Amino acid sequence: MPRTLNIAVEGCCHGMLDNIYAQLLTRQQQMKKKVDLLIICGDFQAVRNVTDLGCMSCPDKYKQIGGFYRYYSGERSAPVPTIFVGGNHEASNHMRELYYGGWVAPNIYFMGNSGVVRFGGLRIGGISGIFKDFDYAKGFFERPPFRGHARSAMHHVRSFEAFKMLQIRQPLDVIVSHDWPQFIERYGDTNELLRRKPFFAKEVERGDLGSPVNAMLLERLRPAWWFSAHLHVRFTAQVGTQESIFAEGWKGIPPYGHERPLTSENPGAVEPPAVANENEIIMSALSDEESDNETEPAPTTSDEPVTFANPSVPSRPTKFLALDKCLPRRDFLEIVEIEVPDDAAVEEPKLEYDPEWLAILRLCNPHIPLDDSPFYPPAQAPVTATEPHLPLFADNILARELEWVSKHVFTNGPVAIPPNFVPVAPVPPAGTPDSASFGLARNDGGNRGRGRGANRGRGGRHGYGQARSDAPWDGPRPYTIYPNPQTDDFCKMIGIDDRLTQRRYQDPQ
């Protein structure tokens, strides 16, 4: 007999954890059922202090510390296990410290720029940020103190994250994103969506509402559920097993997935290999530079058949649910029942590492792009023969890394994500109101917050309409980036170098 997990899904958080948890506990009492997990679909705003607030990309008038810092300091605790992805309004410096994922507070887990975790028999994937075509192909060029365009670019989805997600071969139960998948509105009640959000009409007509990257991932991965937020409206849809979300072709997909061009500056590049059929291609040899990396897999021999397992489950459609932001009379929280096999169910589910995802990280990490040059997939991940010509490592290459992970990490079965949260950054004094902006919120025509009327914010016990506090930050200004031992421990566990998150620290200016 399958067991049912009660999964609470929340749209945009905007730092209003107190209200979300209060509503969740009320719903739990009304249902007379325990909620097993809360999933938040972005704009979480894990703001700890004034520096985090300054690194959040949004109009200054909306910059308020919110209530998260109380969970970070231990003053309050999350009543249910909580996971989230990043949106386009985040303390991006804080998220960068946990690029591979990690606890932002006890019982609250960030899924990283992209990631897969397990919970009570469910495989849950996530991808953070929103799509912007001008940043998509770039590497991670941002450096502290994250000013100007770098501040907003940190929450723009990169092709490297999509590349990692495309390597998934085992079926996913859930994918969480902030952006909607492009074209998803065509599989629900489009008329009702436009009645509630008439200003979406032009985007719907052009076919560019939502993210083409997420549409590509939905087409490839076909999870049972896809949860999103961002557009501040509840919307449901369903993509059938025989339906392609790209019914009119792959319109809108950005240039991506092609081999590195042959130039004098790049003599190690290779052209796409000759194709025998869609499931069998000849893999190209590695360049000398790539083969020197100890985590790089050995090249596949030319007579070895190459296969690419399909992660979709036959006869299982994908159900889509998007939710609103946390405000009165908005549809921002919903509880979904998801069945898991009885042999995978446990009495007290815990977040666990996913073996396949750790293998994918080992494969991809040597290729992480660290500047604003376009990311090109490595030679051992040539494009597939048929449209949409995705760059994929072969199954046998992934299997070798999975074998390493099984031997060195999962020696005794499933591995729970350790509760190794340690606060590393300062927080304001207890009692600081949610609406505090520490002087960062400039006067904007007398209306300086989300509430109505002059000098109103969204703070307060119930999160709505508390007068803003503009008292300056008391004490030295916190650093932009702090070393996070969670990232160190994780990289050591799977045998990779942390080439991004902690390679540079800079004192506040």
Side-chain angles (χ1 to χ4, degrees), residues 189-219:
D189 192 338
T190 309
N191 291 333
E192 175 63 15
L193 174 66
L194 294 179
R195 186 190 69 80
R196 299 183 67 180
K197 298 285 185 177
F199 42 87
F200 290 167
K202 291 294 184 182
E203 291 172 279
V204 170
E205 183 180 351
R206 293 192 304 263
D208 58 12
L209 183 72
S211 163
V213 176
N214 289 344
M216 175 174 64
L217 294 178
L218 190 156
E219 184 78 356

Side-chain angles (χ1 to χ4, degrees), residues 116-269:
V116 179
V117 296
R118 298 192 177 205
F119 182 84
L122 294 179
R123 285 191 84 213
I124 304 172
I127 185 164
S128 293
I130 62 171
F131 173 75
K132 293 293 181 182
D133 57 358
F134 49 82
D135 280 331
Y136 175 67
K138 295 177 182 176
F140 301 101
F141 64 89
E142 307 90 349
R143 303 290 184 273
F146 306 126
R147 292 173 179 157
H149 177 62
R151 183 170 58 187
S152 58
M154 290 178 72
H155 60 246
H156 294 162
V157 173
R158 305 301 165 81
S159 59
F160 181 68
E161 302 305 321
F163 174 70
K164 290 192 294 184
M165 293 289 288
L166 288 171
Q167 308 312 312
I168 294 171
R169 308 298 158 86
Q170 300 169 13
L172 289 171
D173 299 292
V174 173
I175 289 183
V176 188
S177 69
H178 190 57
D179 248 350
W180 294 20
Q182 186 182 26
F183 304 129
I184 194 67
E185 76 280 357
R186 299 177 181 179
Y187 297 85
D189 192 338
T190 309
N191 291 333
E192 175 63 15
L193 174 66
L194 294 179
R195 186 190 69 80
R196 299 183 67 180
K197 298 285 185 177
F199 42 87
F200 290 167
K202 291 294 184 182
E203 291 172 279
V204 170
E205 183 180 351
R206 293 192 304 263
D208 58 12
L209 183 72
S211 163
V213 176
N214 289 344
M216 175 174 64
L217 294 178
L218 190 156
E219 184 78 356
R220 165 73 181 162
L221 301 176
R222 295 295 181 125
W225 287 90
W226 189 299
F227 301 133
S228 296
H230 190 45
L231 299 184
H232 297 168
V233 63
R234 183 185 184 276
F235 183 74
T236 62
Q238 180 168 304
V239 182
T241 55
Q242 302 302 315
E243 294 178 301
S244 169
I245 200 165
F246 294 105
E248 300 176 7
W250 286 72
K251 174 185 174 183
I253 286 292
Y256 174 67
H258 302 291
E259 292 295 333
R260 188 185 303 270
L262 287 165
T263 66
S264 58
E265 290 78 19
N266 182 39

Side-chain angles (χ1 to χ4, degrees), residues 259 270-286 299-308 378-385 392-394 396-397:
E259 292 295 333
V270 293
E271 295 185 24
V275 176
N277 59 56
E278 64 177 295
N279 291 319
E280 182 172 325
I281 62 178
I282 305 303
M283 307 297 284
S284 303
L286 289 174
T300 305
T301 58
S302 58
D303 59 349
E304 186 176 354
V306 178
T307 59
F308 305 96
Q380 279 207 311
V383 296
T384 52
L392 300 176
F393 287 108
N396 58 344
I397 294 178

Side-chain angles (χ1 to χ4, degrees), residues 76-96:
R76 294 184 183 168
S77 59
V80 299
T82 302
I83 63 175
F84 71 96
V85 296
N88 58 314
H89 301 304
E90 303 290 357
S92 297
N93 59 321
H94 187 187
M95 302 296 93
R96 178 58 61 86

Side-chain angles (χ1 to χ4, degrees), residues 101-112:
W103 304 102
V104 297
N107 221 23
I108 304 176
Y109 188 83
F110 172 51
M111 294 191 68

